[in-house]
Amino acid sequence: MSDKRITLYSALESPYSQRVLLALEEANLPYDVIEFDLADKPSWFKEKVYPTLAQVPYLVYGGPKLQPGESPSPELPQLGESLVILEFLADTFPEARLLPADPFLRAKGRLFSRAVEEKYRPVFLGLFFQQAPKETLYDVVEHIQGLLPPTGFVAGEWSIADTAFLPLYLRTLAILELNHAISQFAPGFAAEVLATLKESPRFARIRKYVEECMARPSAAKTWDPVLVKAKAVRYFELKMTPGN
Ligand SMILES: N[C@@H](CCC(=O)N[C@@H](CS)C(=O)NCC(=O)O)C(=O)O
């Protein structure tokens, strides 16, 4: 293991931040987190840390301990984009086994992550900001479910591919549970969708998969539903305010 410091700029409500946190926990790597609320994003983040996109997660590898508001040295490796950060961690710490050794299983993991990005993520974002038809959500959950092996994790043993979906799905359920006025769900919509996802035999495999992911200590350490829901409401409100 390298003794270089890992600093992660993160927000608890961000599913993409949670992807990286899950991998860091699974790899048992020490890391520093610089955490802020997305609804209250500090201006120094864009000015001094990540001028191009100012999104979380953002990872800095090496260097001295960073304080909020400080610029990481431009000499240091630093990256945004959760799935790219995950690959970087897997390549930098091969002994942490964040990806399986078998190239085909690694490729299956990548296919899964790509399906989550290309198919699930747009539906998730649609649900966040407006009511998507429930069949659209069911179909895409079924599609992701169809990519899972009959038992176990995406690529056999747990791997970074298993961080792709879980944070988005946990927040899908949280948004439905919140049933907050801003999500514009019709009366009864959220309860019906939640009941279907949680009880219908159609989603039995994905439920088991999520249950197994959630049973790992990495999930307990990176998921606080009460806090995430509170922050999500503030984020909704900000995003629905004209000009944001
Ligand atoms: N494709 C990026 C997406 C990152 C992203 O969208 N992050 C959001 C939070 S969930 C963000 O930082 N938004 C900036 C803002 O809301 O100001 C990734 O996978 O890391």
Side-chain angles (χ1 to χ4, degrees):
M1 292 261 169
S2 149
D3 54 6
K4 287 188 184 162
R5 187 181 294 279
I6 295 173
T7 307
L8 184 72
Y9 295 84
S10 171
L12 267 182
E13 61 272 45
S14 163
Y16 316 107
S17 292
Q18 195 190 1
R19 285 176 172 169
V20 178
L21 290 168
L22 283 166
L24 290 167
E25 288 295 330
E26 289 282 346
N28 213 10
L29 290 165
Y31 57 95
D32 295 337
V33 175
I34 299 184
E35 166 80 27
F36 46 77
D37 277 10
L38 287 174
D40 202 8
K41 198 170 66 170
S43 57
W44 55 255
F45 185 55
K46 183 168 178 58
E47 288 156 11
K48 298 194 167 169
V49 180
Y50 192 9
T52 46
L53 291 178
Q55 289 183 334
V56 288
Y58 189 74
L59 182 134
V60 179
Y61 186 52
K65 188 169 175 69
L66 286 160
Q67 298 302 326
E70 236 181 320
S71 298
S73 157
E75 325 271 275
L76 295 172
Q78 44 199 292
L79 288 167
E81 290 304 321
S82 54
L83 298 182
V84 177
I85 296 173
L86 293 169
E87 297 263 347
F88 172 76
L89 292 174
D91 289 344
T92 307
F93 303 101
E95 66 286 7
R97 300 295 302 267
L98 291 172
L99 276 172
D102 180 82
F104 180 61
L105 289 176
R106 292 162 83 99
K108 295 263 283 194
R110 289 195 183 99
L111 276 178
F112 183 83
S113 301
R114 187 187 282 192
V116 173
E117 287 302 272
E118 290 177 2
K119 299 205 186 307
Y120 190 77
R121 188 174 174 219
V123 176
F124 166 76
L125 293 175
L127 188 73
F128 208 109
F129 293 110
Q130 79 237 1
Q131 181 177 335
K134 53 181 185 276
E135 272 311 323
T136 308
L137 178 64
Y138 297 157
D139 286 350
V140 76
V141 174
E142 199 166 43
H143 178 77
I144 298 297
Q145 173 173 261
L147 298 173
L148 293 171
T151 59
F153 296 102
V154 171
E157 296 295 305
W158 188 95
S159 74
I160 51 172
D162 295 295
T163 70
F165 178 67
L166 184 73
L168 290 174
Y169 193 63
L170 291 175
R171 284 161 183 76
T172 304
L173 299 179
I175 290 161
L176 291 164
E177 280 160 12
L178 265 174
N179 198 11
H180 192 262
I182 296 168
S183 14
Q184 299 169 350
F185 297 144
F189 172 87
E192 186 192 331
V193 174
L194 271 174
T196 306
L197 294 174
K198 289 185 174 178
E199 287 155 35
S200 161
R202 181 175 173 190
F203 300 114
R205 173 67 188 109
I206 202 120
R207 276 201 298 276
K208 178 99 179 86
Y209 168 71
V210 168
E211 208 179 282
E212 284 172 6
C213 290
M214 291 306 285
R216 299 177 75 86
S218 59
K221 278 203 83 170
T222 60
W223 176 239
D224 180 339
V226 175
L227 203 58
V228 168
K229 281 180 189 171
K231 285 173 179 254
V233 169
R234 289 194 59 211
Y235 191 54
F236 270 133
E237 287 167 349
L238 178 80
K239 289 286 166 187
M240 300 309 270
T241 309
N244 281 291

